[in-house]
């Protein structure tokens, strides 16, 4: 199943393997903050999503400055943060605070990682409590420029779209930050290795079992791939050309692609944001 943050509709949707779309939680075009089941719950511009092995869906409820969880029955509960209270405090549950959380990723030990965009920080949430729905928030690393997409590999390495700097970063569990690809001085669509490659407003990230990182290079209207060695290639789209077209490689067109996910077979799923597809 594919889960979608339908951001401007304030809902979280589910697409099954036959392409059937249902609303998992949230009230359509009714921004707010409410816990409950299905349409009784409310979000305010939900953004990044992560799904665990038990089909709990975690949501970066960006304008509410909270991290929420939707259980398999559609019940929405707040894991960390306090609705409408922006800040950068570490702590447990509602004692913690965020400022426009966007990207969200989950590791194999069920720790959540949050791109806390307006705090220019990456936060880590350790889940505790009898049902694993209470979040203990710490700061893993800071000093970015509008970070957005986030992903984590099987070894616990965190990958980050440092959007405002036009680079893709790597963060170890001890908080050591390095740049995998791109250069702040070189916003472009050039393929290459490391700092010789260019991005423009990279937003979404996904990582596969071989530690290849996939990027929605939003301003370039491209889908890119980065090998573990930092070699960047373009998989789909035409640089700088906005459109809507299916096709292979540069014959395809996107309009501000944003969220991205990769399945176990290596297929990519892209939220083609301004095409609403």
């Amino acid at each position: 199943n594919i889960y979608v943050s339908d951001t401007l509709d304030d809902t979280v949707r589910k697409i099954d393997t036959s392409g059937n779309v249902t609303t998992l939680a949230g009230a359509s075009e009714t921004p707010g903050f409410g816990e409950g089941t299905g349409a009784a719950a409310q979000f305010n511009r939900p953004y990044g999503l992560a799904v665990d092995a038990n089909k709990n869906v975690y949501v970066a409820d960006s304008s509410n400055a909270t991290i929420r969880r939707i259980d398999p029955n559609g019940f929405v509960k707040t894991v960390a943060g306090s609705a409408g209270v922006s800040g950068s405090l570490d702590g447990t549950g509602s004692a913690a605070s965020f400022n426009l959380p966007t990207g969200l990723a989950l590791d194999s030990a069920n720790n959540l990682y949050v791109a806390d965009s307006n705090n220019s920080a990456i936060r880590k949430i350790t889940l505790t409590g009898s049902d694993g729905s209470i979040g203990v928030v710490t700061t893993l690393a800071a000093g970015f420029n509008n970070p957005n997409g986030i992903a984590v590999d099987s070894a616990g390495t965190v990958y980050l779209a440092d959007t405002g700097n036009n680079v893709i970063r790597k963060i170890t569990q001890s908080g050591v930050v390095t740049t995998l690809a791109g250069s702040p001085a070189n916003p472009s669509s050039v393929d290459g290795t490391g700092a010789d490659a260019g991005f423009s407003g990279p937003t979404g990230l996904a990582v596969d079992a071989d530690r290849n990182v996939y990027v929605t290079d939003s301003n370039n209207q491209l889908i890119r791939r980065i090998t573990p060695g930092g070699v960047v290639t373009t998989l789909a789209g035409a640089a700088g050309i906005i459109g809507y077209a299916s096709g292979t490689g540069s014959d395809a067109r996107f309009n501000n692609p944003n969220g991205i996910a990769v399945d176990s077979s290596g297929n990519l799923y892209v939220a083609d944001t301004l095409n609403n597809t």
Side-chain angles (χ1 to χ4, degrees), residues 68-100:
R68 320 283 296 278
R69 186 185 78 171
I70 310 170
D71 72 16
N73 296 316
F75 182 78
V76 178
K77 182 177 181 179
T78 302
V79 170
S82 182
V85 179
S86 295
S88 58
L89 293 176
D90 291 343
T92 300
S94 60
S97 56
F98 304 90
N99 194 345
L100 199 72

Side-chain angles (χ1 to χ4, degrees), residues 13-16 19-23:
R13 318 286 291 277
K14 184 171 84 169
I15 309 172
D16 69 17
N20 297 310
V21 180
T22 55
T23 298

Side-chain angles (χ1 to χ4, degrees), residues 166-168 179-199 224 226 229-233:
N166 298 305
V167 295
I168 309 302
T179 299
L180 178 64
S183 169
N186 183 34
S188 71
S189 60
V190 174
D191 289 342
T193 301
D196 291 332
F199 301 91
R224 318 285 292 279
I226 312 171
V231 179
V232 179
T233 54

Side-chain angles (χ1 to χ4, degrees), residues 161 173 220:
Q173 283 295 309
N220 280 325

